[in-house]
Amino acid sequence: MTKKILTYIDHFHGKVQSSSWEALGLAAKIAADSGGEAAALILGEGVNDLAEQAFHYGADQVFLADHAILKDFRPEPLAELIAAAAGDYQPDVMIFPTTTRGRTLAGMAAVDLESGVMVDVIDLDWKEDKITATRSIYGGKLLAKLTCSTSPEIITIRTRAFDKPEPDSGRSGSITNLEVSLDPADQATTVMDIQEKASGVSLTDASVIVTGGRGTAINPALTPPDDLDEEGADVWKAEQGFDLIQNLADVLGAAVGASRAAVDAGYIEYDHQVGQTGKVVSPDLYIACGISGAIQHLAGMRSSKVIVAINKDPDAPIFNFARFGLVGDMHEILPPLTAGLKAYLEG
Amino acid sequence: MKIIVCVKQVPDTAATMAVENGNISWGDAPLIINPWDEFAVEAALNLVADQGGEVTALCLGKEEETEAIKHALAMGADAAVLVSDPALKGSDNVAASKVLAAAITKIGEVDLVLFGQQSVDTDTGLLPVQVARLLKWPSLTLVSKFEEVTPAENSLQVVRSMEEGNQIIKSLMPAVVSVTKDYGEPRYPSFMGIRKASKAEYPVWNLADLGIDLPSSSISWPEVNEPVEQEIVTEIIDGDTAEEKAKILVEKLIAEKVL
Ligand SMILES: Cc1cc2nc3c(=O)[nH]c(=O)nc-3n(C[C@H](O)[C@H](O)[C@H](O)COP(=O)(O)OP(=O)(O)OC[C@H]3O[C@@H](n4cnc5c(N)ncnc54)[C@H](O)[C@@H]3O)c2cc1C
Ligand SMILES: Nc1ncnc2c1ncn2[C@@H]1O[C@H](COP(=O)(O)O)[C@@H](O)[C@H]1O
């Protein structure tokens, strides 16, 4: 059966989340196998030049709406356009990246198009007529296979679960401009302001992650200033621990993660939390420092390719999941480790 | 203000999950309120403390699934509704959101419906936006802060998070909001709260009470498996000093080609 696949390209003010290209790469593969077609849907303001990138990453066709009303992310107007585009194009499959925006819009599309969505998919089989999607449930403790009996079959794919294609600058295709007839006065929401984060390496995109747990604050070698209470002294120590983690992350171009214990104790913002109630990540290399390896933490990082654990307790459960284990004090091990890796990477 | 907070009952996050004869089992692990939903209950209680009004906990589940509702009541919710119908077994997200939307409509005259960010069992995070879409209300997802709530003007302003940072967004009410962990620690139920909740009565509605037919589901789960445990061979790196261990690890990582 010929499959028409429509991929939603998620971006922030024109900056594309790289999982969008992973989604498009997957779409192009399904299209190639089924003699079908991969189309990309690009909605925003000032996004015209994303079309060309979409062709390079595998799109045969681009549907584009470039309009002031789409400047800031608001799900409702985007959902209208997505439903309209799907109504015209009649895709068999729709793919969204599982970003905060992609998840929202896929959920809305399922309602608007009277279908269903298989969310945060980590593996996909399209050899039969129907797609079978694999996703993890119960914090990764079980794997479920899902199918969708209605059309379009809508899926969102987990970041880094599918390969990002090599862009081919020789590819191009046709662009269809979508009509935008949304009335600003009809919109129930107004974006008042945006507070952008300092752009560090994002956890979900990172191929290397260095994480700190409660052990970041456990360093008898440090004497905190007298004027701090116990909690303050703890945070003060943890800041130095996380400095060591940041230094290693800088050398590796890595993102910084944290356990919930570290977040709850106020050592670092929640944004960095890895685990069942934090972010789910699967980097090539995950270096866990001063983390015990609680089941809820493992839920967020078990699928990492290579796990390194640095913990002073030889019985810490994290060692059961690690490829390499270093029993010792993270505060002593991280500086020479950082120096050694720096020397290698710069040499 | 009239606020509904949607709460789900799930197995404890520390439970060991297994598949027995095709059925998902969590042994004798306790059932709890979906941890994400506690943040939504906390937000609802604080909003009502500031603005006046009442909080109703709404749960869709089996008739004997009372733990999530009890927890919300013990935290301080004023009322609860359980929606339960054996026909709903195996419903997908869209079907569940149709049922919740019908229940919200039946409760009526609601200003806000609060949700948790996602369920820890199914990990989907779809119901808030799907319910919003069905009700044709704006959906404000991943909200960490309510900056301004003005019931007289039917408006609110919240901080919503995305990968790149925060968005400050103003919206009309009624609206659907999903609340994140960044909102702040949920309170523990008080002793009095727990006592009150254990005696509380609440209606149990089935599909007929909601006046809807069984919504159809598109998504089915033909297969659930325990993941094949990858054989992990752990290599403990030995050395006399931290420097020596670090040096060996560097060599191993180079050999492993993950840098
Ligand atoms: C509903 C629920 C959801 C949860 N969600 C999450 C989640 O998303 N993410 C998460 O991480 N947790 C989560 N948790 C919490 C989880 O159960 C653990 O409490 C938490 O992961 C522990 O963090 P930790 O490993 O940093 O701290 P601890 O368990 O206290 O471990 C600290 C470790 O550091 C080691 N250590 C101490 N000092 C040093 C040193 N100087 N050098 C080297 N090692 C040292 C110790 O030996 C110990 O193993 C959740 C819990 C619940 C109930
Ligand atoms: N069965 C249910 N009953 C009531 N609320 C639910 C139910 N399932 C999910 N929710 C709500 O929807 C949110 C998102 O759930 P989900 O889309 O299942 O990940 C949860 O945090 C709850 O607030």
Side-chain angles (χ1 to χ4, degrees):
Chain A
M1 183 189 135
T2 307
K3 286 210 189 303
K4 290 202 280 185
I5 303 127
L6 183 59
T7 302
Y8 181 77
I9 305 301
D10 181 46
H11 64 90
F12 175 75
H13 293 169
K15 231 171 69 210
V16 176
Q17 283 277 342
S18 72
S19 46
S20 298
W21 303 136
E22 295 163 10
L24 191 51
L26 175 64
K29 268 195 198 156
I30 302 173
D33 282 356
S34 63
E37 181 184 72
L41 182 55
I42 301 172
L43 310 174
E45 188 194 38
V47 291
N48 273 313
D49 47 334
L50 297 187
E52 199 175 329
Q53 289 188 54
F55 294 131
H56 296 172
Y57 281 106
D60 303 306
Q61 191 183 162
V62 166
F63 294 97
L64 184 93
D66 197 314
H67 195 280
I69 200 169
L70 306 173
K71 174 168 176 277
D72 290 311
F73 172 72
R74 287 185 294 175
E76 287 78 17
L78 291 169
E80 295 293 329
L81 288 167
I82 292 170
D88 287 345
Y89 184 59
Q90 294 287 320
D92 303 292
V93 181
M94 290 174 80
I95 309 182
F96 295 74
T98 315
T99 55
T100 56
R101 292 174 293 259
R103 192 191 286 258
T104 292
L105 295 171
M108 290 183 159
V111 169
D112 292 347
L113 303 171
E114 295 181 5
S115 190
V117 46
M118 304 180 268
V119 73
D120 210 19
V121 165
I122 54 174
D123 197 12
L124 201 72
D125 179 28
W126 60 86
K127 297 295 177 290
E128 305 292 323
D129 196 29
K130 279 265 144 220
I131 278 180
T132 303
T134 304
R135 59 184 306 264
S136 77
I137 52 175
Y138 293 91
K141 287 178 220 165
L142 298 176
L143 291 175
K145 294 210 162 144
L146 274 65
T147 57
C148 178
S149 61
T150 47
S151 182
E153 298 168 280
I154 304 173
I155 61 173
T156 82
I157 57 159
R158 179 174 291 178
T159 304
R160 292 179 50 80
F162 297 87
D163 293 337
K164 182 170 158 184
E166 281 301 319
D168 170 359
S169 57
R171 291 187 90 264
S172 71
S174 62
I175 300 179
T176 307
N177 285 297
L178 300 172
E179 192 194 334
V180 183
S181 53
L182 297 160
D183 186 345
D186 287 343
Q187 304 305 316
T189 57
T190 317
V191 176
M192 310 301 285
D193 195 11
I194 291 168
Q195 303 160 336
E196 262 187 83
K197 272 195 289 235
S199 57
V201 183
S202 117
L203 267 179
T204 39
D205 289 341
S207 54
V208 181
I209 295 174
V210 190
T211 346
R214 212 193 304 267
T216 51
I218 302 175
N219 183 358
L222 289 177
T223 318
D226 288 340
D227 53 336
L228 293 177
D229 59 8
E230 205 179 317
E231 216 179 291
D234 213 34
V235 171
W236 182 85
K237 283 193 196 166
E239 277 168 3
Q240 328 244 345
F242 270 105
D243 279 348
L244 299 180
I245 285 177
Q246 185 69 56
N247 290 344
L248 175 56
D250 288 345
V251 164
L252 295 174
V256 171
S259 72
R260 169 155 163 191
V263 171
D264 285 355
Y267 304 163
I268 189 164
E269 299 89 65
Y270 166 60
D271 215 36
H272 294 270
Q273 183 176 316
V274 172
Q276 188 157 12
T277 49
K279 297 206 166 63
V280 177
V281 299
S282 56
D284 297 331
L285 175 62
Y286 187 92
I287 307 181
C289 311
I291 287 182
S292 59
I295 191 157
Q296 295 95 345
H297 188 78
L298 293 166
M301 42 67 78
R302 269 175 91 156
S303 60
S304 306
K305 282 206 191 87
V306 173
I307 296 171
V308 174
I310 306 177
N311 194 306
K312 64 179 185 190
D313 172 8
D315 296 325
I318 187 87
F319 286 124
N320 298 331
F321 299 88
R323 172 77 186 88
F324 300 112
L326 277 79
V327 180
D329 189 327
M330 57 167 279
H331 306 274
E332 288 171 14
I333 291 172
L334 284 178
L337 180 63
T338 305
L341 287 167
K342 188 168 184 205
Y344 168 72
L345 290 168
E346 284 176 358
Chain B
M1 288 181 82
K2 196 160 166 188
I3 303 182
I4 293 178
V5 43
C6 292
V7 295
K8 184 180 192 184
Q9 178 160 310
V10 297
D12 194 316
T13 53
T16 305
M17 303 300 303
V19 179
E20 289 162 9
N21 305 324
N23 294 317
I24 295 176
S25 135
W26 47 86
D28 49 12
L31 292 163
I32 57 169
I33 182 171
N34 180 32
W36 293 108
D37 300 349
E38 291 180 54
F39 301 99
V41 178
E42 179 66 25
L45 295 174
N46 290 336
L47 285 170
V48 162
D50 288 349
Q51 305 284 344
E54 59 171 48
V55 175
T56 304
L58 171 62
C59 178
L60 167 64
K62 294 196 195 120
E63 190 143 3
E64 65 275 16
E65 292 185 352
T66 58
E67 193 44 46
I69 281 186
K70 289 261 159 77
H71 193 95
L73 287 169
M75 282 176 76
D78 303 283
V81 173
L82 177 63
V83 177
S84 190
D85 196 312
L88 289 166
K89 188 171 187 289
S91 288
D92 71 2
N93 264 282
V94 172
S97 53
K98 284 181 182 159
V99 177
L100 285 177
I104 291 162
T105 306
K106 184 173 159 91
I107 293 169
E109 286 167 41
V110 179
D111 298 294
L112 281 179
V113 182
L114 302 194
F115 285 82
Q117 170 173 340
Q118 66 191 56
S119 306
V120 293
D121 52 356
T122 52
D123 281 332
T124 47
L126 293 175
L127 284 189
V129 294
Q130 293 182 327
V131 168
R133 200 73 191 144
L134 289 163
L135 294 169
K136 301 198 166 28
W137 294 355
S139 65
L140 308 164
T141 48
L142 307 183
V143 164
S144 58
K145 196 169 169 204
F146 292 79
E147 289 198 325
E148 256 177 52
V149 179
T150 322
E153 289 168 20
N154 280 328
S155 85
L156 84 165
Q157 184 166 314
V158 297
V159 179
R160 165 210 267 179
S161 67
M162 299 187 299
E163 285 82 355
E164 299 81 0
N166 290 329
Q167 212 183 34
I168 317 298
I169 191 157
K170 197 174 173 137
S171 170
L172 292 175
M173 293 197 285
V176 167
V177 175
S178 77
V179 179
T180 68
K181 185 169 185 279
D182 263 346
Y183 177 81
E185 275 304 299
R187 68 195 68 186
Y188 287 106
S190 66
F191 178 66
M192 286 302 286
I194 294 170
R195 272 194 40 184
K196 215 177 100 213
S198 69
K199 284 188 250 152
E201 292 191 15
Y202 46 84
V204 180
W205 292 343
N206 61 19
L207 289 173
D209 295 324
L210 294 176
I212 57 169
D213 293 332
L214 176 66
S216 63
S217 287
S218 298
I219 305 294
S220 47
W221 306 32
E223 210 180 309
V224 180
N225 297 305
E226 293 168 27
V228 185
E229 285 296 338
Q230 277 179 9
E231 200 53 53
I232 302 168
V233 187
T234 307
E235 199 175 326
I236 297 291
I237 297 194
D238 244 341
D240 289 335
T241 60
E243 283 74 19
E244 210 178 303
K245 287 179 194 166
K247 187 165 167 276
I248 300 170
L249 180 63
V250 172
E251 285 160 11
K252 298 277 182 197
L253 290 177
I254 294 168
E256 200 81 10
K257 296 197 167 59
V258 282
L259 294 174

